Amino acid sequence: MVRLRALSESSPVAPLAAAFSKAGFELALVGGPVRDAFLGRDAKDLDFTSNATPDEILAVLSTLTKSTWDIGRDFGTIGALIDGEQVEITTYRSDSYDQQTRKPVVAFGDSLEVDLSRRDFTVNALALRLPELVLVDPSGGVEDLLAGILRTPSTPAISFGDDPLRMLRAIRFSAQLGFDIDAETLDALATMGGSLKIISAERIRDEFSKLLLTPTPRRGVELLVETGLAELVMPEIPALRLERDEHHHHKDVYQHSLTVLDQAIELEESRDSFEGPDLVLRLAALMHDIGKPATKRLEPGGVVTFYHHDVVGSKIAKKRLRELRFDNDTIHDVARLIELHLRFFGYTEGAWTDSAVRRYVRDAGPLLERLHILTRADVTTRNTRKAHMLSFAYDDLETRVAELAELEEMQAVRPDLDGEQIMAILGIRPGRDVGEAYRFLLEMRLDDGPLGEEEATRRLLEWWAARQES
C-alpha cells in the first residue's frame, strides 16, 4: 500500500480527489495504475471512475483546469489536462452487449463494484477509492496479481462474448506482465476465436501492435499460434511451421523467426538511435521469412530451397498489413526491409566494390539502421564459426558504410549536377531527356564517387554526343 499511498498523494491525483470529494461525488483510481502500483511499476495512464455524470464531471474539472475534452462523452468519459498530466474520468458503467458487433449498449451505473465486474481481467478490476484510500477488489484481483494469473471477473464465455477483443488483450497482457493465462480462460481463447471476426481490422491491428511493442512479445506470438488466434490475425506466422520429413530436414522457420524477433529487440535496445520499441523493425523481424512457404522446393539430395522468398515475402507482407489497416509508411517500410534482408549475404561471397556499398545504402535509404539490425538478427546458426564469420563480415560492411558516408555524405547521394544545370549545359527543356541524363550522372556518382562539376560536365557532354549519334 506504500506505492498506492504515494500515488494518491501525487499530482494530479490529490487535487482531483479533493475536488470530487468537495463536490459530493465518489472518485476512484481504477485499472492499470492500481495494478502497476502493486507490481512496482510506474503508472503511465491515469484512469478514474466516478458516480458523477459526464456533465457533473466537466463541472468539477472546470474548477481545476480549462483544458478538457469530451470526445468520449457518449461513453461517459471526459478527459482533462491537469498539472501537465492527461487524465480520464468515466461515469460508472453497467453496459450490455448485443453479441453481434461488440458495440455496447451504454448504460451508466451507480456502483463501483458493478463497474469493476464488467472489466476485462481481475488484475485490472481493482480500484482505489479517493481520498479514503480504500482498495476495492470484488473479484480477487490482488490474489491473481500475486500468483501471476490472468483470469476474467465473470466466466470467459461471458467476458469474451461481450467483447471478443479481450482475447487478444489476454495474450498481450500475458506477454507484457509475464503472467500465465488460467486454464479456463485459455480454453476459451482456443474455442471462441471465431468471434474475432466481428472486430474491426483497426482494433485488431492496434492490439497486435501493442503486443509487438511489449518487452517480450515472443511469448504472446506463441500464444497466438497455440490458441489458433494467429490464423485470424496473421495466418502467415503459423504457416511458417513447415512440415518436416525424415528425408528433407531443414531449419524450423517458425522458431527461427521468433529468435530473429528476440535478437532484433536486443540489438534495438543496445543502440542509441532507437528511443523506444520500434514497430517497423519488429514487424519486419517477425515477417521476414513469410515468403518461404510459397517458395519452398525440395531439391535432389534432400536440399530445401526458398528462392526469391524475400521478394515474395515483401508482397505478402504488403497484402497482410493493408488488410490490417496499417498506415502506408509502415507498410512500405516493413515490405522494403523484407525485400532487402538477404542483400547482405552476397557480401560474404566476395568483397564488394565501393559502388556496391553505395547502392546498398541508397537502396536502404532511411531504413539503413533497421536493415543493419534485421540482417544481424537473422543469423541464428548454432555453428559458432559461421556465426563469427557473418558477424565479422557485417562489422566490416558497417565500417565501410560509415567511412564512405563520412567521406561522401552518402546518406543523400546525388549527382554532381542538378536538373537545372543539366538543361543549361545541354540546352534542353524539361522532359524525359533530363531524367535520363540525371540517372546517367547518378550511376557515375555511385560507381566512381564524387566527380566534381567540371568532370561531371565533361562526361555528360560525351554521353549526350554519343546519344545524339545513335
Side-chain angles (χ1 to χ4, degrees), residues 285-346:
L286 180 62
M287 303 175 74
H288 75 286
D289 275 346
I290 59 174
K292 282 191 171 180
T295 58
K296 176 185 174 185
R297 298 291 182 272
L298 301 178
E299 306 292 349
V303 176
V304 180
T305 62
F306 305 99
Y307 292 129
H308 307 301
H309 76 268
D310 46 347
V311 177
V312 173
S314 178
K315 293 177 180 178
I316 294 173
K318 284 182 182 178
K319 183 174 185 294
R320 175 56 54 198
L321 296 178
R322 285 195 191 106
E323 290 180 356
L324 287 172
R325 304 293 192 271
F326 278 90
D327 63 275
N328 289 334
D329 287 343
T330 298
I331 294 171
H332 171 273
D333 290 350
V334 172
R336 187 62 171 154
L337 285 170
I338 293 172
E339 183 182 354
L340 293 174
H341 83 274
L342 292 181
R343 186 77 63 86
F344 156 74
F345 291 97

